[in-house]
Amino acid sequence: MKRVRCPKCQNYILFDETKYKDGQSLVFVCDECNKQFSIRIGVSKLKATRKEEKIDEQENKEAFGSIVVIENQFAYKQVIPLREGDNEIGRFNRDTNINCPIETTDPSVDFRHCIINVKRNKNGELVYNLRDAKSAVGVFYNNDILGNKEQVRLEDGAIFTLGATTLILRAAEQSDNNE
Ligand SMILES: [Zn+2]
């Protein structure tokens, strides 16, 4: 799969490039803004897709950790760094004003779906708490849907799902000194 970005609204559109030949022109209609545009397969613009980028799941381990979005039919694998405080997670769109947008076409992922709060406890250890952000389909953790005001603590490697999209928490490495 490859992706193109709508020139009008920046929405991503995924397509299966193996169905087409180099040099062939494809016409897309953006499902966000209905803009029609065309691309040609095999031109340089298409080469730099996420698929070929080297993805390092540990890249943010010394800061506040990250979430890994598992590749599925709607999205490439992505690693999204977390920060201290509330990390708002949802589907990227042109009006995105959340701090952890996922580039995905999964319609079951809301534009603002869930929140991971990162904070230090009394011992200086980072604590990760997941809660739903009033999403349409909810947030599943350990095969249970999170309740309305429920908050669950996530440990490193915790797996949770938003619709058809699965995410893994990669916690930061805890340092032994309490600076
Ligand atoms: Zn568009």
Side-chain angles (χ1 to χ4, degrees):
M1 296 287 277
K2 290 204 182 272
R3 62 177 188 175
V4 290
R5 203 163 200 174
C6 169
K8 189 172 169 197
C9 76
Q10 310 289 299
N11 178 46
Y12 282 108
I13 296 160
L14 293 179
F15 68 99
D16 183 359
E17 81 285 3
T18 60
K19 289 183 181 161
Y20 308 99
K21 291 193 197 87
D22 272 6
Q24 191 172 349
S25 288
L26 299 184
V27 176
F28 295 91
V29 177
C30 175
D31 53 11
E32 286 280 331
C33 71
N34 293 322
K35 163 114 181 134
Q36 186 174 318
F37 62 99
S38 62
I39 59 146
R40 265 176 59 160
I41 300 281
V43 296
S44 57
K45 259 194 217 167
L46 279 172
K47 281 181 185 157
T49 62
R50 278 281 169 120
K51 187 114 188 172
E52 284 108 41
E53 285 169 25
K54 195 167 173 290
I55 291 190
D56 179 6
E57 290 187 18
Q58 304 297 323
E59 66 187 337
N60 201 35
K61 68 180 179 187
E62 279 161 15
F64 296 98
S66 56
I67 47 170
V68 179
V69 182
I70 303 302
E71 179 170 337
N72 63 9
Q73 59 179 310
F74 304 110
Y76 291 102
K77 180 176 176 179
Q78 292 157 60
V79 178
I80 300 172
L82 296 172
R83 63 197 80 189
E84 197 161 19
D86 276 351
N87 295 267
E88 299 172 298
I89 299 165
R91 174 156 48 100
F92 174 89
N93 79 327
R94 65 186 182 278
D95 301 318
T96 291
N97 57 4
I98 56 172
N99 54 19
C100 287
I102 299 172
E103 289 169 9
T104 179
T105 57
D106 182 352
S108 57
V109 176
D110 285 2
F111 295 134
R112 187 172 177 277
H113 199 116
C114 68
I115 294 164
I116 293 181
N117 180 269
V118 182
K119 66 177 180 201
R120 287 192 191 278
N121 65 14
K122 279 177 288 188
N123 302 323
E125 299 156 352
L126 289 171
V127 177
Y128 298 84
N129 283 304
L130 172 67
R131 65 184 195 269
D132 192 2
K134 294 181 179 156
S135 65
V137 299
V139 177
F140 285 80
Y141 174 63
N142 283 343
N143 294 322
D144 277 328
I145 191 161
L146 292 194
N148 220 349
K149 290 185 175 161
E150 191 180 358
Q151 185 157 278
V152 289
R153 181 168 171 179
L154 301 181
E155 304 294 341
D156 181 40
I159 297 170
F160 57 102
T161 58
L162 319 176
T165 297
T166 300
L167 301 101
I168 303 174
L169 173 70
R170 294 284 179 225
E173 280 193 342
Q174 305 281 4
S175 59
D176 292 331
N177 50 358
N178 297 332
E179 315 171 60

